[in-house]
Amino acid sequence: MNEEKGKVRFRIPVIPALGFLAVLAVLNTEGAEAQQRLVVPLSDPARPATLEVSSMGGDVSVTAYEGNEILIVTNEGEGDASDFEDFEDFEFEPESVFSGDTDGEPEEQPRRSREGLTQIRNSGVGITAEENANAVHVNMEWGRSDVDLQISVPRRTSVHIEMHGGDDLAITGVVGDHELMNARGDIAATDIGGSAVMNTANGDIFASFTEITPDKAMSFTSFNGDIDVELPATLSATLVISAGRGDVFTDFDFTLQPAEVVVEPRTEGSAYRARLESAMRAVVGGGGPEIRFQTFNGDVVVRRR
Amino acid sequence: MREVRSGRTGALATLFERHHARVYRFCLRIVGNRQTAEDLVQDVFMRMLRYRTTFRDDVAFGPWMFRIARNACTDHLRRVAREGGPHATSATSVEDLPSNDGSIAEEEDDRAELVRRALLSLPLERREVLVLSRYEFKTYDEIAHALGCSVGAVKLRAHRAIKQLREAYMDLAGEGSA
Amino acid sequence: MNCEDTAGLLSDRLKGLLAPEDNVRLDAHLATCSACQAEADALTALWSDLGSLEDDVPHERMRARFHAGLAAYSERKSATRIGAFIESIWPRQPVFQAGIAVVLLVAGFLAGQLLPPRANPEIEELRAEIRAVGLVLLDHRSAAERLRGVEWARGTMADARTVEALLRTVRYDPNLNVRLAAIEALGTALDSPDVGAGLTEAFEQQDSPLLQVMLASLLLDGEIPGATEAVGRVLERSELDPLVRDYLQSALEEIRERPNQSDA
């Protein structure tokens, strides 16, 4: 079992207090990267928040900090107009393809404000955020498909992220009911609390919980990746694990539940080898809600903190 | 589209009924794969829903919709190219091409298939212009709006595209066994 | 004009955009230049051949998929309202007055088993409560709660309303983990033809590789009618994950190699 698995390899951004953000912006203008900042206040800073992001490209990382506003920093990823060189025939084109409109029609359109919502608009990279009763929804404007997001949130924030492009999804230190999906790359959730539902297609899932909400179901699924989850030693739940072609490891004490009674016994010889094994059910502590782990081509590791 | 923008998402269903075939055909001609084209149509309409507030009254609907469709196709192709998978459709190799699902008569098959392949062999930029020019828009102005470039660039690409299409077709017809 | 311009002018003419004087110029040139005339003929033919590609007809399933996406989007938008509604009815579930632990024990007992119908009025009442809780949870805005909903639903798989709700979850739930859990739950009720048909349809509509593999495994192992054909159709897609393709192909091969089962 490879001990290196699950170690995150991207940097954790420095979280400055609000007053230093300007400095951060200046420090980060190395290279041709464009960067924008967005500050989103909450309707009720005393209550937990929810962050929702749906990103078509670029990495997303969310980190807890001691403030009570949501801070969004964007970076234009490497996938800019230059990527289109793959498809262009430069020899013949007198104008650059994506130089923006030369007809005077602006790319950015002014937004209409919606009732009951606080909207903050950022006219740079095409990210906007709407806040409604402590739920912050981050929108990417169309055409902007490769922007990295670094978001700082109050500790008690439920994080809901869908990444359809990009590589890494990382969250750190947040407590809430999290829903994470990365269609292409890995998910790394470090020192989080509450509950989580995570899915990747071709990436690994790494998660470590400092605390979990009792009686909450959880699910970690991947198709072609490993799942490595660390849970508090006081865990009381039923682990439902199916690892397809991979192996399963745990250092929890558990009792295997007998397989559920199936409706009718199968006729002799009708099961075929390619059939997926049904899930193992392992009761930890006194039992409790189901925590599901499923991968087709990868290993499942459940660690005791 | 104004209705969708003001929040009545049911109006999007009407738009879907009216336009999804066009969007499908556009995506199919650009990426060359039926399954991908279906996925992209879904993507396009969801983007139209999500970005409905960016639709302005003074912008014609057609070019706006095709701009979104074209961006969706390009995003897909970029993603595929980055992964270096065997599905990159800017290649000319015959293996990459979509298989006929039998909806076109056998006799017509040869010519239509050759044209399809020739179209897919064009660089993306020219393919886009040719497809929009042949099937969607009468004027270069509308195409320029959809692609976000100047009318001059559109004209240039359109002319080069048809020439290149012809050359590609001749190449393929020459090596085909028919 | 020279030969270089022919293609450009011709393509404009094919679109009906050529100014009259340019039209005249083009015709004049073509009359004198046989090479360009040939090219013009070829381009005109090509232009018309492009028209034959108009026959591509989008598949019916796109409509269903679109409506599912629209429904999911609308649901997310109205999520705050649904959440509030659930909160308002929650305390009134008598089940919770009885103590969660007891109910969970019973749910565990009921899970995966076929109880004889109408055996015992108290169990019936409890089952109705469990079904009710399951149904409410399956609509919750939070994926973790919907997962619980599937857990609860496993206790009442004999109930048509539960099965219906689970099939809806498989088709429309925005979260893949929840859909997967629902599929597994329905896997215990494959003897119902609705379930078999519903899951077969879902199999052809899902594009998540994990769900494709799970559904194929359940359907083929359950010997659901139409399953092998559906798997065959999915195998024809060129954009199929290679691992999925591999798995589906081996599964089909194994079935073919299986010695013929006559009822003996």
Side-chain angles (χ1 to χ4, degrees), chain A residues 52 114 130 162 177 179 195 197-199 201-202 215-224 240 245 260-264 266-276 279 281 288-290 292 294-297, chain C residues 76-77 80 100 104 111-114 141-148 151 154 174-177 180-181 184 188 191 209-210 213-214 216-217 220-223 241 243-244 246-247 250-251 254-255 257-258 261:
Chain A
E52 292 172 5
R114 298 187 220 173
E130 294 168 11
E162 270 184 18
D177 296 322
E179 296 178 22
S195 76
V197 173
M198 303 189 192
N199 169 255
N202 280 314
D215 292 337
K216 278 282 196 183
M218 297 205 251
S219 175
F220 306 88
T221 59
S222 173
F223 178 64
N224 191 26
V240 181
R245 298 170 176 176
E260 290 183 351
V261 174
V262 178
V263 176
E264 266 133 39
R266 299 246 57 99
T267 53
E268 194 61 52
S270 67
Y272 54 90
R273 274 169 278 130
R275 172 173 168 257
L276 294 177
R281 300 177 66 89
E290 288 185 351
R292 306 169 57 89
Q294 180 143 13
T295 177
F296 177 69
N297 196 36
Chain C
R76 267 197 292 265
K77 282 286 161 179
T80 13
I100 293 181
L104 282 180
Q113 309 223 9
L114 269 193
R141 57 184 300 193
S142 162
E145 296 308 324
R146 296 201 300 278
L147 276 179
R148 285 297 245 153
E151 260 184 87
R154 286 218 303 275
N175 189 294
L176 195 150
N177 293 270
L180 189 61
E184 280 183 18
T188 62
D191 46 339
L210 187 57
V213 158
M214 281 299 305
S217 165
L220 292 174
D221 185 54
E223 292 171 353
D241 185 292
L243 278 179
V244 175
D246 193 50
Y247 175 79
S250 345
E254 302 244 10
I255 290 183
E257 284 165 18
R258 208 190 297 171
Q261 305 276 325

Side-chain angles (χ1 to χ4, degrees), chain A residues 89 92-93, chain B residues 115 118-134 140 143 147 153-169, chain C residues 7-8 11 14-15 39 43 46-47 50:
Chain A
D89 204 353
F92 298 107
E93 309 312 325
Chain B
V115 172
L119 189 55
L120 281 172
S121 75
L122 259 49
L124 180 63
E125 289 233 311
R126 295 187 182 173
R127 205 184 313 156
E128 285 175 342
V129 169
L130 189 55
V131 171
L132 287 177
S133 160
R134 176 63 177 87
Y140 291 129
I143 301 178
L147 296 179
V154 172
K155 266 199 203 171
L156 193 65
R157 276 179 231 164
H159 296 169
R160 298 235 158 89
I162 190 82
K163 268 178 103 153
Q164 191 172 347
L165 184 72
R166 168 148 192 259
E167 282 161 19
Y169 180 84
Chain C
S11 80
L14 288 167
K15 288 180 66 63
E39 188 175 359
L43 288 180
L46 201 51
W47 193 255
L50 280 174

Side-chain angles (χ1 to χ4, degrees), chain B residues 29 33 38 111 133 135 140, chain C residues 12 15 49-50 53 238:
Chain B
R29 260 142 234 163
N33 178 290
E38 282 186 23
R111 278 186 82 81
S133 160
Y135 302 109
Y140 291 129
Chain C
D12 282 350
K15 288 180 66 63
D49 281 338
L50 280 174
L53 300 188
S238 39

Side-chain angles (χ1 to χ4, degrees), chain B residues 23 26-27 40 44 64-74:
Chain B
V23 176
F26 173 81
C27 294
L40 286 169
V44 167
W64 182 81
M65 178 173 75
F66 278 102
R67 177 180 278 208
I68 293 189
R70 180 274 191 144
N71 282 344
C73 290
T74 327

Side-chain angles (χ1 to χ4, degrees), chain A residues 204-262:
Chain A
D204 299 328
I205 296 179
F206 164 79
S208 64
F209 287 81
T210 54
E211 52 175 281
I212 62 174
T213 312
D215 292 337
K216 278 282 196 183
M218 297 205 251
S219 175
F220 306 88
T221 59
S222 173
F223 178 64
N224 191 26
D226 296 323
I227 301 177
D228 187 324
V229 177
E230 186 178 79
L231 296 163
T234 51
L235 180 71
S236 189
T238 303
L239 309 181
V240 181
I241 308 179
S242 111
R245 298 170 176 176
D247 298 317
V248 179
F249 301 88
T250 184
D251 52 356
F252 274 105
D253 291 321
F254 62 91
T255 29
L256 271 186
Q257 262 185 0
E260 290 183 351
V261 174
V262 178

